[in-house]
Amino acid sequence: MRGNRVVGLLFLLFCTTTVFGQIGNTDLGQIHGNFQTDFQYYREDTLIGAPDVPEDFLLNGFMNLNYTRGNFKAGIRFESYENALLGFDPRYKGTGIPYRYATYTQDDWEITAGNFYEQFGSGLIFRAYEERGLGFDNAMDGIRVKFQPTKGVRLTGVIGQQRFYFDKGEGIVRGIDVDWNLNESIDSLANNRWRVILGGSFVSKYQEDRDPRYNLPLNVGSWAGRATISRGRWTLFTEAAYKINDPSTVNNYIYKDGHALLVNLTYSRKGLGLLLAAKRIDNMNYRSDRTATVNDLLINYLPAMTKQHTYRLPALYPYATQPNGEMGLQGELTYTFKRNSPLGGKYGTQVALNYSVAQSLDLNPLNDTTGIYEPGTDGYDSDFFSWGDERYFQDLNIEITKKVNSKWKFIGTYIYEEYNRAVIEGKPGFIYMQAAILEAQYKISRNHTLRFEAQGMWTDQDRGDWAMLLVEYSISPNWFFAVQDAYNYGNPEEIRQIHYYIFSMGYTRGGTRFLANYGKQQEGIFCVGGVCRNVPASNGLSVTITSTF
């Protein structure tokens, strides 16, 4: 009932400000927002494993309404799950207003009451964010204060509880972050070629101990320090984090402290880009509820440091960060051959080479009588610089983009992956995969474009070899139509050598977009930035409507 009153009030404000945004010299403020609904009709298909859905129709939807007047902002988000789409946690159920806030800014202060998203550094010890495609939302509900005491120095303090579907987690999260830009603060460094930004964070969580087996810490603190140093075309970012012992379900209730180190080095100039990155994660699962699992109540964010493939077939095997421990490396080189050169041709040619690997930590038992990850102990010893023997993931890919003439543009991609399915998905098996993709775009006229994709993926494991074709016709700026067929012709079970066809169409006008798909979707996992959810097989019609105003 309270939610209905809030919606009614904001709807009245919306109508009022839409028609009377300004009466005379009186500014009534403005309302902006966005809306999205995803609707799907399911058909049972036992051959692909698409389950019978008793409701037949499922729906996810939300609307954000934000009111702004001068230094004041306020907003709500209405969400509806009737019931949640397959693959989303069924605890998203019903309708409500789980997100509402009010923010006031004055001089060097900004104060927010209610819900908010925030991130300290790269997120190693704190990141509150939303990823709607994953059904992930760990928004804070509490107080956030930002303050700039002097030029170049920014302080942020937060306290609150995390969102837990339509409820809140029982733990309390507190944190403070400082960001210091030396070149802004110190006049003598204002024009220095070296640019330096330092930062530091402290985060603590509190949760009662009701466990009869162990004496668990009520407060778990963590801290991190970071630096961004750049000169000319080079930029170095590094962040190190530490977390005191935090026994939990995910780490099997061991009392080992956690560590994390992240290093990124980039170079960029016209026609050339370089990225070198490394990380080490050791026992950094950090949640406001020690019994939470999967994606529930995560306080921190551990980046995957692998390329996220968007083509349909290689996207079947994405990488998910392992919070209990991993070593990772990534390198990426992008080079553009100049126009009118032998390899560049008339329009230039871009080549992107990317490599990444994730490996286990080198774990050793504490003594001859204590097993690794034995509950109630410190768990294990691990040398900081040693790699373990188990490979979690490896990806080598190269992409060449070439515009041949004013009509044709081609993108060719080759991918080789090693995918530890037991670690990433919890299912048996290790997958070696190769994939090749050719994408072509043909510009028929100024507003009419054809796009083609031919994909092949080959593996002796899992469901075997795949092939896929896609044809897409776009009429700019409003319409597109597409048909695609992913054929699992190499499935070891002949009966499962299935065509997964999808017909698509979309219409865009102004800030509103309508998208419809009909066909079969294969089972897999969907990841964004190393955070993943399972996507079950489905057969049916899906419709998405998005709008901004």
Side-chain angles (χ1 to χ4, degrees):
M1 184 65 71
R2 181 182 302 171
N4 292 337
R5 287 200 295 267
V6 175
V7 170
L9 174 61
L10 284 172
F11 179 75
L12 179 62
L13 286 169
F14 171 72
C15 296
T16 303
T17 55
T18 298
V19 180
F20 306 108
Q22 184 164 341
I23 301 177
N25 294 324
T26 303
D27 179 10
L28 298 180
Q30 293 185 335
I31 286 186
H32 301 281
N34 62 312
F35 166 81
Q36 177 174 326
T37 182
D38 299 285
F39 156 89
Q40 188 156 358
Y41 166 69
Y42 294 92
R43 294 176 54 200
E44 184 181 12
D45 190 330
T46 55
L47 194 57
I48 66 171
D52 176 37
V53 177
E55 304 95 325
D56 291 336
F57 303 92
L58 299 176
L59 179 143
N60 293 0
F62 73 92
M63 173 180 279
N64 283 306
L65 290 173
N66 297 296
Y67 172 74
T68 303
R69 184 173 185 272
N71 294 331
F72 178 77
K73 294 187 295 185
I76 62 167
R77 182 169 63 236
F78 172 84
E79 295 184 12
S80 180
Y81 303 90
E82 300 290 359
N83 286 323
L85 298 174
L86 291 184
F88 287 81
D89 196 296
R91 285 172 288 187
Y92 283 118
K93 187 177 179 64
T95 62
I97 301 177
Y99 191 91
R100 71 282 182 272
Y101 74 95
T103 297
Y104 186 74
T105 304
Q106 187 174 49
D107 300 326
D108 299 319
W109 292 87
E110 179 186 292
I111 298 172
T112 299
N115 298 107
F116 56 87
Y117 299 110
E118 186 59 66
Q119 176 172 330
F120 293 167
S122 61
L124 288 179
I125 62 170
F126 180 72
R127 185 185 184 192
Y129 72 110
E130 176 198 24
E131 185 54 59
R132 188 155 294 276
L134 296 174
F136 180 89
D137 190 343
N138 65 345
M140 292 282 286
D141 188 4
I143 300 292
R144 179 183 62 189
V145 178
K146 294 187 174 185
F147 176 52
Q148 186 171 347
T150 184
K151 191 168 58 176
V153 178
R154 299 169 183 83
L155 299 172
T156 302
V158 301
I159 184 169
Q161 295 170 276
Q162 293 182 291
R163 178 178 178 181
F164 187 59
Y165 304 99
F166 277 112
D167 203 345
K168 290 183 287 189
E170 68 171 74
I172 300 173
V173 180
R174 301 72 56 98
I176 185 167
D177 179 80
V178 58
D179 205 58
W180 182 23
N181 188 320
L182 273 63
N183 300 92
E184 292 182 6
S185 293
I186 305 172
D187 292 339
S188 60
L189 298 179
N191 298 316
N192 196 291
R193 296 183 64 184
W194 288 92
R195 316 299 294 179
V196 180
I197 303 174
L198 304 177
S201 311
F202 177 79
V203 175
S204 172
K205 69 165 184 175
Y206 169 79
Q207 184 185 13
E208 291 184 14
D209 176 16
R210 304 190 189 95
D211 193 303
R213 301 166 297 171
Y214 308 111
N215 182 20
L216 301 173
L218 303 181
N219 295 282
V220 176
S222 62
W223 49 92
R226 61 183 183 272
T228 303
I229 304 171
S230 61
R231 179 186 170 94
R233 304 179 190 279
W234 292 92
T235 298
L236 172 69
F237 172 80
T238 184
E239 182 167 19
Y242 177 85
K243 176 173 68 75
I244 70 168
N245 69 88
D246 183 20
S248 67
T249 300
V250 172
N251 70 8
N252 206 29
Y253 285 91
I254 63 172
Y255 282 75
K256 181 178 174 58
D257 294 345
H259 308 265
L261 177 65
L262 180 68
V263 181
N264 286 325
L265 177 66
T266 60
Y267 174 83
S268 177
R269 68 172 174 80
K270 186 178 181 181
L272 177 65
L274 176 67
L275 164 69
L276 297 174
K279 71 171 178 179
R280 186 182 192 276
I281 304 294
D282 185 358
N283 195 32
M284 281 300 288
N285 172 69
Y286 196 25
R287 304 170 192 258
S288 61
D289 186 332
R290 60 179 72 90
T291 64
T293 59
V294 196
N295 293 332
D296 292 343
L297 298 169
L298 285 165
I299 297 175
N300 62 342
Y301 169 74
L302 305 172
M305 202 176 285
T306 57
K307 183 170 182 177
Q308 185 170 327
H309 296 294
T310 55
Y311 290 108
R312 184 176 175 183
L313 294 187
L316 289 174
Y317 300 117
Y319 184 63
T321 301
Q322 302 303 305
N324 280 347
E326 64 175 26
M327 302 275 276
L329 293 173
Q330 184 181 24
E332 183 169 288
L333 175 67
T334 304
Y335 184 77
T336 302
F337 293 94
K338 294 180 179 178
R339 294 183 177 189
N340 301 316
S341 64
L343 293 177
K346 183 178 179 180
Y347 296 93
T349 302
Q350 185 181 77
V351 179
L353 178 65
N354 179 282
Y355 173 78
S356 59
V357 61
Q359 197 96 357
S360 65
L361 301 179
D362 183 20
L363 305 184
N364 300 294
L366 296 168
N367 52 55
D368 294 338
T369 59
T370 304
I372 294 175
Y373 277 111
E374 185 167 317
T377 72
D378 285 346
Y380 54 85
D381 279 331
S382 177
D383 185 87
F384 188 86
F385 294 103
S386 296
W387 291 59
D389 295 329
E390 186 173 15
R391 176 151 297 167
Y392 292 165
F393 185 81
Q394 182 171 235
D395 180 4
L396 173 66
N397 59 84
I398 182 169
E399 183 176 283
I400 302 174
T401 303
K402 176 68 179 172
K403 184 177 180 180
V404 176
N405 54 41
S406 60
K407 296 288 188 181
W408 285 98
K409 179 181 178 182
F410 294 91
I411 302 174
T413 305
Y414 169 78
I415 301 167
Y416 170 77
E417 274 190 13
E418 296 178 3
Y419 182 88
N420 191 329
R421 195 179 190 193
V423 170
I424 299 170
E425 297 184 39
K427 298 177 180 178
F430 195 101
I431 297 169
Y432 299 87
M433 178 274 279
Q434 296 185 75
I437 301 105
L438 178 63
E439 178 181 346
Q441 296 178 34
Y442 177 68
K443 193 170 185 179
I444 302 171
S445 64
R446 182 178 180 182
N447 296 325
H448 295 252
T449 304
L450 276 173
R451 191 172 72 86
F452 310 90
E453 283 183 20
Q455 303 184 29
M457 189 174 74
W458 303 275
T459 176
D460 293 330
Q461 296 83 36
D462 196 21
R463 287 171 283 184
D465 300 336
W466 290 76
M468 190 194 124
L469 290 174
L470 176 147
V471 179
E472 181 181 289
Y473 176 50
S474 300
I475 308 172
S476 179
N478 301 118
W479 293 92
F480 90 89
F481 305 89
V483 58
Q484 59 179 292
D485 181 15
Y487 179 31
N488 187 196
Y489 67 93
N491 196 304
E493 298 181 59
E494 189 171 345
I495 193 174
R496 300 194 184 280
Q497 294 176 0
I498 300 169
H499 289 269
Y500 292 85
Y501 58 84
I502 296 177
F503 301 94
S504 306
M505 64 84 63
Y507 176 74
T508 302
R509 188 171 73 177
T512 301
R513 185 170 189 258
F514 173 87
L515 172 66
N517 293 297
Y518 178 79
K520 299 180 179 180
Q521 175 66 50
Q522 68 270 36
E523 180 186 12
I525 64 172
F526 173 64
C527 298
V528 178
V531 181
C532 306
R533 72 172 174 89
N534 291 316
V535 179
S538 63
N539 185 356
L541 172 69
S542 65
V543 174
T544 298
I545 301 172
T546 59
S547 184
T548 59
F549 54 89

